[in-house]
Amino acid sequence: MEPTYGQIVTTSAASQIADQLQQAIMDGRLKVDERLPTEEELAAQFGVSRPTVREALKRLAARHLIRSRRGPSGGTFVTGPSPDELAASLGTSVTLLVAGGGVTLDEMATARLEMEAVCCRLAAQNRTAAHLAALEAEIALQKTAAISDQDFCASDVRFHRAVVDAAGNALLRFLMNAVVEALMPVSNMIIFRVRDRKEIVAHHERMLVALAGRDGAAAVEALGGLVHYIRAQYARAEEARKAPRP
């Protein structure tokens, strides 16, 4: 019995087709909710096989740029990725970059300080009573002695997310996802054994007081103190890692 083989897909061709369709979406030649030609029609347009087109469409679906719908009015339609999906993708990319050693701990701390400082200044101007209440709630939770390390870290992330939200800038909120949602969990994982929770909470309280008083400079100063403390804990964690075990 002779072996059977699947049809060969030219990966480079599929990639090029996906890139061309993505460019058409980005420059507006293909509109959101517009129906794409069928696989057969696309194959004829690009001069490739249907499996190659199918592979290209899979790539676009993975980028959240198209969706499929079944039924008489079904087909493949252009879709715009949601801000949450894009932010999650950005955060995942940054996490992988850190995990691969492409970003140092010092670079992490510097990026966080510089980017979040902008948010602190804007938050001092734009924060609402609801934002302050959210920050107060996280601080109260962080002061709970029985809270686990995992829950403390989660509250820490929510606290700084609330600061970013208070800045009132959608683009900053998107960009800061890489810092708050990606870098902070990595940072917490490195230092949670050596940090002092009370010290973290004290810095958070100073940030809250500054934001409540609409004092952007004081908020940035409090953030700077927090990041300085975190840098020191990075060093302690590294020393503990290198220390010989008894």
Side-chain angles (χ1 to χ4, degrees):
M1 180 177 179
E2 293 187 5
T4 57
Y5 302 98
Q7 189 165 357
I8 299 299
V9 173
T10 306
T11 304
S12 60
S15 178
Q16 291 178 53
I17 293 169
D19 289 344
Q20 288 191 44
L21 290 172
Q22 176 174 315
Q23 187 58 49
I25 294 170
M26 292 176 64
D27 63 26
R29 285 178 288 137
L30 288 173
K31 308 292 186 183
V32 172
D33 293 330
E34 182 175 343
R35 185 176 184 173
L36 292 181
T38 65
E39 287 184 4
E40 185 176 1
E41 291 168 338
L42 287 171
Q45 289 177 21
F46 286 104
V48 297
S49 67
R50 289 182 64 179
T52 299
V53 169
R54 195 171 299 123
E55 175 64 23
L57 295 178
K58 287 180 180 178
R59 290 168 182 251
L60 290 175
R63 300 172 194 174
H64 306 289
L65 292 175
I66 60 171
R67 70 184 187 280
S68 296
R69 191 169 69 204
R70 297 182 180 277
S73 61
T76 302
F77 298 84
V78 176
T79 185
S82 71
D84 287 344
E85 289 172 337
L86 290 172
S89 177
L90 176 62
T92 299
S93 298
V94 172
T95 301
L96 291 173
L97 185 63
V98 173
V103 175
T104 66
L105 296 179
D106 187 65
E107 287 172 330
M108 284 172 55
T110 299
R112 175 178 178 181
L113 175 59
E114 297 302 325
M115 293 182 69
E116 194 170 350
V118 176
C119 294
C120 283
R121 286 191 286 269
L122 290 174
Q125 301 173 19
N126 300 326
R127 61 84 178 154
T128 65
H131 292 128
L132 295 180
L135 295 172
E136 289 173 351
E138 295 303 336
I139 289 175
L141 181 61
Q142 292 161 20
K143 286 181 175 181
T144 305
I147 188 175
S148 68
D149 284 320
Q150 183 177 358
D151 288 340
F152 184 92
C153 290
S155 177
D156 188 17
V157 170
R158 290 194 299 270
F159 178 90
H160 290 277
R161 187 191 298 148
V163 173
V164 173
D165 288 343
N169 185 291
L171 183 56
L172 266 178
R173 186 182 301 114
F174 169 74
L175 295 174
M176 281 297 293
N177 182 81
V179 175
V180 176
E181 308 293 340
L183 292 188
M184 278 191 61
V186 174
S187 174
N188 281 329
M189 183 175 63
I190 293 170
I191 69 171
F192 82 96
R193 294 185 185 277
V194 297
R195 73 178 172 201
D196 182 347
R197 290 186 183 181
K198 292 181 180 179
E199 186 74 22
I200 298 289
V201 171
H203 288 295
H204 286 172
E205 288 180 322
R206 283 191 281 273
M207 290 180 67
L208 173 59
V209 169
L211 294 176
R214 299 196 183 277
D215 189 339
V220 172
E221 183 179 356
L223 172 67
L226 173 60
V227 173
H228 177 76
Y229 175 75
I230 289 172
R231 285 184 194 270
Q233 303 322 299
Y234 286 158
R236 286 186 61 196
E238 183 64 13
E239 289 173 4
R241 186 183 69 83
K242 292 180 177 179
R245 294 183 179 181

